[in-house]
């Protein structure tokens, strides 16, 4: 059973930075897998932001490309999302997600393991 625990959310002013973490456990490292970050605002669909494959390939949504960076520390089994130049519109609940597979996307229906989320609030 894959377990994901996010942390690092909080309140920040526009233009600031935050780094989210997601500690993962219970997965088989020798299998191909994808880890990703999503966010959700009440009343809107969960939005895919970035994904990273087992080999380290990354993919970003246009809305965060150039501002957010996804990375992973395999020694700590932890996924990160470095968020810079934050905007008020980035306010949301942020989730990490995991699935086994070779081709990684940011389509939410492809992921079957989710963390509990961490809230990010950006004020003007």
């Amino acid at each position: 059973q894959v377990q994901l625990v996010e942390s690092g959310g909080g309140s920040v002013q526009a233009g600031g930075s935050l780094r989210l973490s997601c500690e993962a456990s219970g997965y088989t490292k020798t299998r191909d897998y994808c880890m990703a970050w999503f966010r959700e605002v009440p009343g809107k669909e969960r939005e895919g932001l970035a994904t990273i494959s087992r080999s380290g390939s990354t993919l970003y949504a246009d809305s965060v490309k150039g501002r957010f960076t996804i990375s992973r520390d395999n020694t700590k089994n932890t996924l990160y999302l470095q968020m810079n130049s934050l905007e008020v519109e980035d306010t949301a609940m942020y989730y990490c997600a995991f699935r086994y597979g070779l081709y990684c996307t940011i389509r939410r229906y492809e992921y079957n393991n989710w963390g509990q989320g961490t809230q990010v609030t950006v004020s003007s």
Side-chain angles (χ1 to χ4, degrees):
Q1 183 78 8
V2 177
Q3 293 187 321
L4 305 169
V5 180
E6 300 100 331
S7 61
S11 297
V12 64
Q13 287 194 321
S17 299
L18 278 176
R19 188 177 78 159
L20 306 183
S21 300
C22 173
E23 187 171 351
S25 60
Y27 66 102
T28 303
K29 294 182 180 180
T30 53
R31 291 179 61 182
D32 287 312
Y33 60 83
C34 304
M35 299 186 76
W37 287 100
F38 291 76
R39 67 185 178 190
E40 187 172 334
V41 175
K44 294 188 177 181
E45 290 189 354
R46 190 167 294 189
E47 177 190 11
L49 304 176
T51 185
I52 185 167
S53 69
R54 175 174 173 261
S55 65
S57 297
T58 58
L59 177 70
Y60 293 91
D62 288 343
S63 59
V64 302
K65 197 174 296 183
R67 298 190 300 126
F68 292 8
T69 302
I70 190 171
S71 63
R72 187 181 63 236
D73 185 334
N74 292 327
T75 64
K76 297 180 179 179
N77 298 328
T78 301
L79 177 73
Y80 300 102
L81 185 68
Q82 177 67 44
M83 305 186 295
N84 299 327
S85 302
L86 282 162
E87 304 168 353
V88 173
E89 292 73 23
D90 294 317
T91 296
M93 183 71 80
Y94 284 70
Y95 298 90
C96 70
F98 175 98
R99 69 170 178 89
Y100 289 110
L102 182 59
Y103 300 106
C104 299
T105 74
I106 49 175
R107 292 191 283 264
R108 71 185 188 283
Y109 57 81
E110 295 188 0
Y111 290 83
N112 54 2
N113 294 278
W114 296 87
Q116 83 289 350
T118 186
Q119 177 69 37
V120 172
T121 302
V122 184
S123 59
S124 59

